[in-house]
Amino acid sequence: MDVIYLVPVKFLNLWARNHFSLIQLPENQPKERLVFYLILLVSLPVFLINLGVPPFLEDEGIRSLVAMEMDLSGNLITPTLNGEPYFNKPPLYNWILLSVFNSTGVISELTARFPTVIFLYLFTLTIYLFVRRHLSEKTAILSALLFLTCGRILFWDSMLALIDICFSWVVFLMFCWIYEQHRRRHFLALYLGAYFLATIAFFLKALPALVFLGFTLLAVQIKDGTWKKLFGWQHFAGMGLMASFFGLYLFLYSRHSSIEDLLVVFVSESTKRTVIEHGLLDTLLQIFMFPFEMLYHFLPWSLLGLLFFAKGALRKIWNHEFISFCAVVFMANIWIYWTSPAIYPRYLFMLAPLFFTAGIFLYFELSTSWMKKVVDVSLMVLGVGVVLASGFAFFAEETAHTRGLWWKWSIPVLVMVLCLLFMLRKPQARMIGLAVFLLAARLGYDLIVLPLRVENRIQAETKQDATRIGKNLKGEEFFIYHIDSMKYDASFYISLQTERILQKTDQLTPGGYYLVNPYKYPILFEEAEFEFIDSIRVKRKEKYFYLINTE
């Protein structure tokens, strides 16, 4: 499974060698590049400290449980969840997790989350390499660092064992390929490469990959007047390449499970968050709230959005070939999420670099604009506010008694204060300073906040209870009663201890052990005779699942 990591890396190296070798760099660029790589190197431990400490959220439990059940069943083609076919996602990311579990010999929160960090850094380097080809070294560096240090990445998704960063990276690679090949009018290479990368993305997250591919090709080729090529043989060659991979997968899948059920779930998963399911009223509310929600999630760099309202900004974007491409691809795809209720910010990660690159471009182009001054002042005020707010760690009930709080708070805050002073004295390097500031803030978060999740979250109780039950019943036959899914993080911790798949059953047999949802099946607790053995705390309205032994 290590080939999954090696192929994209070789692709990047080859691409960089072919496209960047002839670029003549100004003398100051090697220095800027050195600073960039140094920041990446120093930041890596920041993303790893206490990464494995918090227990799984339920979605993380799903990813790791599916991978673990693949190993336990020996079936790598048809994923299962609690022993039942799992149709929601194709198997590629499960293979990645399984390769990490097998290569390290450890199945844990750390090994499940480690690939997220690897893909995050591959994504960051891809942004840098791509933007450097068409804009200045400084713009490329900032575009990459803005993505790495935006709020949603830095304080949430970079520490979760989820598909989205990996999927978004592959989709972004597809954007890069489309731009490079389309501007050269290499249409066969364009379609073969785009459909190949879309195929990889499809095997990560199914139909959304096709949506990104379709809307991006359509928008780019309409903009540049090459839309007739969509009906050419080169395009059909690309579609044929994808169809061959897809057909092979369906053939292998059909030998184990129903293709019809798989396709139905793929379609339903892609439409369940849209107006089709949620209705017009929720969609209208989403259209209004979406910009404000994304402004919050991608702070502080979402403040660059103010520059798009500056005089002449849109003209500068449209007149620049590369930036207009970023804008067109962004607008061609963002509307799907803008009009879809119940979406998560992580679904937008492949679009974030396009926004940040255009924002940084305008930041330098509009150097005399009053809107740029507003952005600068806002970023400084936000930085000062974060430093001041960090002092509440000494007064908040959850953190006030943290062992070693003084040094865990002082080191990051010292770096943050130095960054603010640097930003004041070196306004031309203000963005770099703020990126380092944010990494220091994440260090403080690692040291102070993440350890608290072991003690103060329901998921911690779930892990403790499920682990205890798994150890106590190792070697025993026990099941989840009937159709209830329980909590998948609980299932993961149980299966991790028992080294067996926790199956479901609709039969209660004498002497058996069963995990029962009292909210759904209260009659069992009113009429049946059983022995109460244990319970698992879960983050649901019923609060507990009970382990019973029927007599």
Side-chain angles (χ1 to χ4, degrees):
M1 296 300 174
D2 292 341
V3 70
I4 295 170
Y5 294 103
L6 295 177
V7 169
V9 172
K10 289 183 178 179
F11 172 83
L12 280 175
N13 287 337
L14 179 62
W15 186 47
R17 192 182 309 120
N18 289 340
H19 292 291
F20 303 153
S21 58
L22 299 179
I23 297 176
Q24 303 238 339
L25 299 175
E27 292 183 2
N28 64 328
Q29 287 192 5
K31 181 179 178 181
E32 292 176 340
R33 190 176 304 170
L34 179 62
V35 171
F36 172 63
Y37 286 127
L38 183 61
I39 290 174
L40 290 186
L41 182 64
V42 172
S43 68
L44 184 57
V46 172
F47 285 93
L48 296 176
I49 292 173
N50 287 331
L51 182 65
V53 168
F56 277 147
L57 302 176
E58 185 173 18
D59 279 357
E60 294 182 280
I62 292 174
R63 303 292 150 244
S64 297
L65 180 60
V66 171
M68 186 163 56
E69 289 192 11
M70 278 185 165
D71 193 36
L72 292 172
S73 67
N75 186 344
L76 299 179
I77 302 299
T78 56
T80 63
L81 202 58
N82 289 135
E84 297 184 337
Y86 177 68
F87 302 114
N88 292 26
K89 297 292 185 293
L92 180 53
Y93 200 75
N94 303 317
W95 296 344
I96 294 173
L97 287 181
L98 185 56
S99 70
V100 175
F101 294 159
N102 288 339
S103 61
T104 61
V106 177
I107 302 175
S108 68
E109 291 90 347
L110 178 60
T111 53
R113 291 166 179 159
F114 183 70
T116 297
V117 178
I118 296 300
F119 288 121
L120 174 61
Y121 274 79
L122 288 173
F123 200 162
T124 301
L125 286 170
T126 302
I127 297 167
Y128 166 70
L129 290 173
F130 181 49
V131 177
R132 189 182 75 176
R133 175 70 178 89
H134 306 287
L135 298 173
S136 69
E137 182 84 7
K138 188 173 183 179
T139 302
I141 289 171
L142 289 175
S143 297
L145 290 180
L146 265 58
F147 175 77
L148 183 68
T149 59
C150 69
R152 183 70 190 196
I153 291 285
L154 198 61
F155 295 106
W156 190 249
D157 284 278
S158 62
M159 58 187 81
L160 299 179
L162 299 177
I163 296 174
D164 298 274
I165 288 179
C166 175
F167 172 74
S168 297
W169 172 55
V170 175
V171 173
F172 185 76
L173 275 173
M174 184 183 72
F175 294 160
C176 299
W177 184 265
I178 289 173
Y179 180 74
E180 295 294 347
Q181 300 307 317
H182 185 261
R183 67 194 293 262
R184 292 172 175 81
R185 300 304 191 258
H186 294 168
F187 289 103
L188 182 59
L190 163 67
Y191 293 123
L192 289 176
Y195 273 92
F196 176 73
L197 289 167
T199 299
I200 296 175
F202 179 89
F203 284 113
L204 287 166
K205 211 172 180 181
L207 293 184
L210 305 185
V211 175
F212 281 111
L213 173 66
F215 283 123
T216 301
L217 284 176
L218 189 63
V220 169
Q221 296 197 243
I222 288 176
K223 171 183 175 289
D224 289 349
T226 61
W227 58 269
K228 290 183 180 179
K229 287 292 183 179
L230 293 169
F231 302 97
W233 68 269
Q234 299 95 333
H235 191 199
F236 288 103
M239 289 190 286
L241 178 67
M242 171 178 277
S244 64
F245 283 109
F246 191 41
L248 176 60
Y249 173 66
L250 290 180
F251 169 74
L252 295 174
Y253 194 95
S254 67
R255 302 175 65 183
H256 301 276
S257 190
S258 167
I259 295 178
E260 292 79 8
D261 292 340
L262 176 69
L263 297 178
V264 167
V265 174
F266 278 178
V267 173
S268 66
E269 279 290 298
S270 300
T271 60
K272 69 180 183 180
R273 302 182 190 279
T274 66
V275 65
I276 297 173
E277 180 175 298
H278 288 270
L280 182 59
L281 183 60
D282 287 343
T283 300
L284 292 175
L285 181 62
Q286 166 69 5
I287 291 172
F288 174 75
M289 292 299 299
F290 179 82
F292 302 104
E293 291 178 358
M294 296 307 110
L295 174 68
Y296 164 75
H297 285 290
F298 289 93
L299 281 172
W301 308 120
S302 53
L303 292 173
L304 289 172
L306 295 173
L307 297 173
F308 291 85
F309 297 96
K311 183 179 180 180
L314 297 183
R315 184 176 63 254
K316 288 181 179 293
I317 289 173
W318 192 252
N319 289 339
H320 194 285
E321 180 188 5
F322 178 67
I323 298 299
S324 64
F325 167 83
C326 294
V328 165
V329 174
F330 182 88
M331 295 306 298
N333 292 284
I334 192 67
W335 70 269
I336 305 167
Y337 300 100
W338 202 323
T339 59
S340 300
I343 63 104
Y344 294 103
R346 62 176 180 262
Y347 298 165
L348 306 177
F349 286 159
M350 69 290 293
L351 302 179
L354 305 175
F355 174 86
F356 292 144
T357 300
I360 286 295
F361 169 80
L362 291 177
Y363 183 82
F364 292 127
E365 286 289 312
L366 302 172
S367 56
T368 59
S369 169
W370 67 272
M371 195 68 82
K372 178 181 179 295
K373 296 177 182 177
V374 171
V375 171
D376 285 335
V377 171
S378 299
L379 293 176
M380 286 296 301
V381 169
L382 194 61
V384 172
V386 169
V387 171
L388 295 176
S390 69
F392 283 100
F394 292 96
F395 305 100
E397 182 178 351
E398 289 186 345
T399 57
H401 304 290
T402 300
R403 181 177 298 179
L405 179 59
W406 271 107
W407 73 264
K408 292 179 180 179
W409 176 83
S410 299
I411 293 176
V413 167
L414 176 61
V415 176
M416 291 158 69
V417 170
L418 291 175
C419 286
L420 289 176
L421 294 175
F422 174 80
M423 291 164 63
L424 286 172
R425 298 195 60 179
K426 301 283 186 179
Q428 71 275 14
R430 183 171 288 134
M431 293 290 186
I432 292 283
L434 187 55
V436 176
F437 173 97
L438 292 167
L439 291 170
R442 166 63 189 264
L443 176 62
Y445 189 85
D446 292 341
L447 297 174
I448 298 172
V449 178
L450 288 186
L452 296 176
R453 294 185 179 178
V454 180
E455 306 170 0
N456 301 332
R457 277 198 166 190
I458 292 176
Q459 287 88 350
E461 296 180 56
T462 300
K463 177 180 178 179
Q464 183 179 17
D465 294 342
T467 300
R468 180 183 63 250
I469 288 174
K471 286 181 177 179
N472 291 340
L473 292 183
K474 186 172 184 177
E476 299 284 349
E477 290 281 350
F478 76 105
F479 305 89
I480 299 173
Y481 179 67
H482 221 281
I483 62 172
D484 202 282
S485 62
M486 198 174 68
K487 289 283 282 186
Y488 294 118
D489 48 343
S491 294
F492 168 80
Y493 291 119
I494 290 173
S495 293
L496 183 61
Q497 297 301 321
T498 62
E499 299 179 351
R500 301 177 65 173
I501 296 175
L502 180 58
Q503 305 267 7
K504 298 178 184 180
T505 183
D506 57 0
Q507 301 292 327
L508 291 174
T509 57
Y513 292 93
Y514 301 91
L515 286 163
V516 179
N517 181 341
Y519 185 83
K520 285 192 174 181
Y521 309 108
I523 192 171
L524 292 177
F525 296 83
E526 297 170 2
E527 299 180 2
E529 294 183 358
F530 64 86
E531 179 186 3
F532 170 81
I533 305 295
D534 209 333
S535 64
I536 299 179
R537 180 75 166 93
V538 293
K539 192 176 181 181
R540 284 187 180 172
K541 56 187 175 184
E542 53 266 52
K543 294 187 178 180
Y544 288 94
F545 268 72
Y546 293 107
L547 177 67
I548 63 172
N549 176 232
T550 56
E551 299 178 357

